[in-house]
């Protein structure tokens, strides 16, 4: 028990189920009674709903966000001897997907908003570069105009890791729809979370969509004949049924996240040691959906400890290591000073729809207390 007796966990996993318990149980019973487990109508309905929501031509339900990236890269023809440029401030899965198709992840800096630093991309381009993989981190979409113009200049493809950004927009266009392929994760703690692993892969290109569909289901075409190598990474129909229920409330959920971000911003912006994410209404170019609320503090470790002592759960993203800091994976002698500095300073505050205004204000009060503000 902490000093105050209050507890605001970083994430509330049972809430993923509890929030719409009755409706979800009804939907699950319906699927199970029908015996509709694999590639059934609930998955198709979910794909259709997301397609409309993000204005994309093709959306395919897959096993998870990592497999979405892997089959996305496969469908784009990326493999041996190819290089793909990614920010080092991302989950290991972004880099692993590139490694697993036989290509090499080439790591670049993030900028002040923690998104890929568009000014650091071109120095990483070589003859082997095939694609740029911007990561739409924390529910924000990168400066896609600059990324597109660099990609066009060098003849590169774009694959967006939008695992954290379903519903995020840049200049009115949805994350996941800028590149040849876009991906989403439906992991429980993501913006839209199911009861286990789940993901989506997105494209506006018919030929790529055909490839993705083959990769997802053992290389089988609509007639069930094997016409290519493939794998098994389908989204479970039961998960899709859960997602169909949760998706009805999704826009409301995103608005709530933006409200919470505004409360944090109002309370914490006077503290000069903190760097905060852009507030919801900062500019008209970005519509941020706050998968995470990742702040920077000059006293990060002390602040984290103080909050923990007072019942507030926080997290340092990605196990406190940028991709290039995983020496065991062969990343040696790579220096990305700005990213390294961010990893000494970054901390994620609780950000999810289970939080009440009181919870958020309690977190803010504790931070103010830490700073004597
Ligand atoms: C969560 C996440 C992934 C992987 O998604 P899974 O569904 O867990 O496989 C990939 N990239 C980023 C940036 C993520 O946050």
């Amino acid at each position: 028990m902490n000093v105050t007796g209050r507890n605001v966990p970083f994430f509330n996993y049972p809430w993923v189920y509890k929030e719409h318990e009755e409706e979800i149980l009804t939907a699950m019973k319906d699927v199970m009674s029908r015996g509709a487990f694999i590639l059934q109508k609930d998955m198709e309905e979910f794909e259709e709903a997301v397609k409309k929501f993000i204005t994309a031509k093709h959306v395919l339900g897959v096993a998870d966000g990592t497999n979405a990236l892997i089959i996305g890269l496969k469908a784009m023809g990326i493999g041996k001897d190819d290089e793909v440029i990614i920010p080092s401030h991302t989950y290991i899965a972004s880099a692993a997907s590139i490694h697993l198709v036989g290509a090499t992840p080439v790591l670049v800096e993030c900028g002040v908003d923690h998104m890929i630093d568009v000014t650091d991309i071109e120095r990483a381009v070589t003859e082997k570069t095939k694609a740029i993989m911007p990561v739409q981190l924390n529910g924000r979409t990168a400066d896609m105009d600059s990324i597109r113009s660099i990609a066009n200049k060098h003849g590169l493809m774009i694959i967006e890791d939008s695992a954290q950004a379903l519903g995020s927009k840049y200049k009115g266009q949805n994350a996941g729809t800028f590149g040849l392929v876009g991906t989403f994760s439906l992991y429980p703690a993501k913006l839209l979370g199911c009861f286990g692993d789940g993901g989506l892969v997105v494209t506006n290109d018919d030929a790529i969509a055909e490839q993705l569909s083959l990769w997802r289901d053992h290389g089988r075409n609509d007639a069930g004949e094997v016409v290519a190598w493939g794998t098994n990474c389908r989204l479970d129909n039961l998960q899709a049924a859960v997602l169909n229920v949760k998706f009805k409330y999704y826009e409301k959920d995103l608005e709530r996240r933006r409200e919470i971000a505004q409360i944090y911003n109002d309370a914490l912006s006077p503290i000069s040691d903190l760097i905060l994410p852009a507030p919801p209404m900062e500019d008209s170019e970005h519509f941020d959906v706050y998968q995470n609320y990742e702040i920077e503090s000059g006293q990060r470790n002390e602040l984290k400890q103080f909050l923990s002592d007072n019942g507030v759960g926080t997290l340092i993203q990605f196990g406190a290591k940028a991709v290039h800091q995983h020496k065991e994976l062969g990343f040696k002698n790579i220096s990305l000073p700005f990213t390294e500095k961010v990893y000494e300073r970054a901390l994620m505050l609780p950000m999810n729809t289970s939080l009440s205004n009181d919870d958020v204000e309690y977190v803010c009060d504790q931070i103010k207390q830490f700073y004597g503000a």
Side-chain angles (χ1 to χ4, degrees), residues 291-355:
Q291 162 69 62
N292 304 308
Y293 197 79
E294 189 176 50
I295 66 169
E296 285 184 46
S297 159
Q299 302 172 64
R300 193 266 314 269
N301 294 344
E302 294 82 0
L303 175 60
K304 184 172 179 26
Q305 186 60 52
F306 180 87
L307 291 175
S308 166
D309 291 345
N310 289 284
V312 175
T314 60
L315 203 70
I316 303 172
Q317 196 158 208
F318 308 132
K321 267 190 182 182
V323 172
H324 74 283
Q325 294 174 320
H326 289 278
K327 304 286 180 230
E328 304 81 356
L329 302 182
F331 297 108
K332 297 203 173 79
N333 306 319
I334 299 176
S335 166
L336 297 169
F338 189 83
T339 302
E340 285 155 26
K341 198 178 89 189
V342 165
Y343 270 73
E344 286 165 14
R345 297 168 48 87
L347 187 67
M348 299 195 298
L349 304 181
M351 171 53 84
N352 58 75
T353 57
S354 78
L355 298 168

Side-chain angles (χ1 to χ4, degrees), residues 64-66 69 90-91 93-94 135 161 163-164 185 187 190 198 318:
D64 52 65
T66 308
L69 289 168
T90 185
Y91 192 35
S94 326
V135 179
D161 180 350
Q164 300 192 355
S185 169
Y187 180 84
K190 293 285 161 73
F318 308 132

